[in-house]
Amino acid sequence: MIGPSLRAIRSLLFASFLFTMACGGRVVVDIGGGQGAGTGPGGCTDHSDCPSGLCLFTTGTCTTGCNSAKPCPDPGETCGPGTICDGCATSSCFGCNDCIAACVPAAGRCDADDPRPTGQTCIFELHTCAPLCDSDSDCGGFAVCNSCVASCCGCDDCVSFCTVQE
């Protein structure tokens, strides 16, 4: 197989919405860990307000940058347990319409440091949890059992998961 089929790619895109919602959606909270982060009026309003040089403008909290291009980053490049690398967590300035990758709370999403719930797998490229399956009956009425993702970050195997039915 040269690459993923168009159907598999479309299924992953449709699944990302459904499973992101099933795994808790996107929530951003303070992850400063005593590194000068804050929220509300006392929080950051500019990157220079943060010891790390990176402010999450949506929450007024300081965070650290990360490499969003790697779904399975090298050791030492991860955000650490409880956080994931969001490719568009903040911008280069308040009000700028661009993206900077930064560490944000996992909030139900998954990566190599944050295990997924029992009976689910992680689609690492999307930081999305998805229920494992053996057949369509494992997925309920709105999803089908198909596609293939690695069972762990960097693994070269295949597990099936539930995707949104087209």
Side-chain angles (χ1 to χ4, degrees), residues 47-147:
H47 292 305
S48 64
D49 295 337
C50 299
S52 64
L54 198 56
C55 176
L56 294 175
F57 297 117
T58 57
T59 60
T61 58
C62 297
T63 190
T64 57
C66 56
N67 183 355
S68 67
K70 295 172 127 182
C72 299
D74 297 327
E77 292 181 348
T78 65
C79 289
T83 58
I84 62 163
C85 183
D86 184 326
C88 197
T90 192
S91 57
S92 60
C93 66
F94 185 78
C96 291
N97 192 18
D98 59 358
C99 290
I100 293 180
C103 298
V104 298
R109 295 183 289 170
C110 57
D111 65 6
D113 296 301
D114 297 291
R116 61 249 168 228
T118 303
Q120 296 193 8
T121 191
C122 184
I123 304 170
F124 295 101
E125 293 81 8
L126 302 173
H127 297 292
T128 303
C129 320
L132 293 166
C133 59
D134 292 317
S135 68
D136 288 349
S137 63
D138 295 334
C139 299
F142 298 106
V144 294
C145 183
N146 64 17
S147 300

Side-chain angles (χ1 to χ4, degrees), residues 1 4-13 15 121 123 133 136 144-150 158-164 166:
M1 183 169 161
S5 70
L6 180 58
R7 179 179 169 97
I9 292 170
R10 286 192 338 209
S11 292
L12 281 174
L13 292 174
T121 191
I123 304 170
C133 59
D136 288 349
V144 294
C145 183
N146 64 17
S147 300
C148 176
V149 295
C158 183
V159 296
S160 296
F161 63 96
C162 296
T163 60
V164 176
E166 294 181 33

